[in-house]
Amino acid sequence: MSSSFKAKVFVLGDDIDTDIIIPTDYLALPTIDDMKKYAFSPLRPELAGLIGEGDVIVAGKNFGCGSSREQAPEIIKALGVRAVIAGSFARIFFRNAINNGLLLIENDTLSKDVKEGDEIEVQVGEAILYNDKRYEVASLPENILEILNAGGLVNAMRKRNGL
């Protein structure tokens, strides 16, 4: 994972649950690629079509609450989202996202300041830069960076074991 990148922002609110990320009705579709066009459809039906490769989602508190469906972070990653920045994450969503190689960053003030379509700079494990303001973020442990850099837990373990 590069240590710094710039990205366009899509803004969501608090309590974005896994049923908003991918409604149950679409879980029967055969692949994540088939499902991803329905991402966030209960909230904003057009959103999946607007998100581009390398964009970032900024949200409020409790992102990923609800069921433990692993498809939720997989679909966000399949949309090309580089990172999700939120005030807080549901614990099981956080684990599923990291295991699938999706960067999550906790910051509880950026979502109150940033506007959709704006550009931010993410300095992974250090800060987020926006409108000449620096938003501090927690550093990431080496084992988490290893998983993210490999694109997920399975790839990280394969690499670690020489497969």
Side-chain angles (χ1 to χ4, degrees), residues 9-157:
V9 169
F10 287 89
V11 180
L12 302 175
D14 293 335
D15 303 311
I16 302 300
D17 68 29
T18 55
D19 286 325
I20 289 173
I21 297 169
I22 184 62
T24 305
D25 296 350
Y26 304 110
L27 291 175
L29 293 172
T31 69
I32 294 297
D33 268 352
D34 294 325
M35 293 178 213
K36 73 181 182 182
K37 63 184 167 190
Y38 301 104
F40 304 103
S41 59
L43 185 64
R44 293 177 54 189
E46 79 290 353
L47 185 58
L50 297 174
I51 294 173
E53 191 69 35
D55 290 341
V56 168
I57 292 173
V58 176
K61 64 180 176 54
N62 206 24
F63 190 92
C65 58
S67 72
S68 63
R69 65 182 64 146
E70 196 166 332
Q71 295 94 335
E74 288 178 306
I75 285 166
I76 293 170
K77 189 175 174 186
L79 287 172
V81 171
R82 181 88 182 255
V84 178
I85 303 166
S88 63
F89 294 94
R91 185 173 298 199
I92 191 72
F93 178 86
F94 188 90
R95 292 178 60 129
N96 284 337
I98 298 300
N99 287 343
N100 281 287
L102 176 62
L103 175 62
L104 300 183
I105 300 170
E106 285 193 349
N107 180 281
D108 60 359
T109 56
L110 181 66
S111 67
K112 296 171 183 84
D113 295 344
V114 75
K115 304 289 182 259
E116 185 147 324
D118 286 350
E119 185 177 86
I120 61 171
E121 181 178 343
V122 176
Q123 297 173 340
V124 178
E126 295 177 30
I128 300 159
L129 306 178
Y130 172 68
N131 277 353
D132 299 322
K133 187 173 177 184
R134 182 179 174 91
Y135 298 81
E136 298 296 326
V137 299
S139 62
L140 296 172
E142 276 303 312
N143 63 326
I144 299 294
L145 287 173
E146 178 186 1
I147 292 168
L148 293 170
N149 286 331
L153 181 61
V154 171
N155 291 339
M157 293 301 97

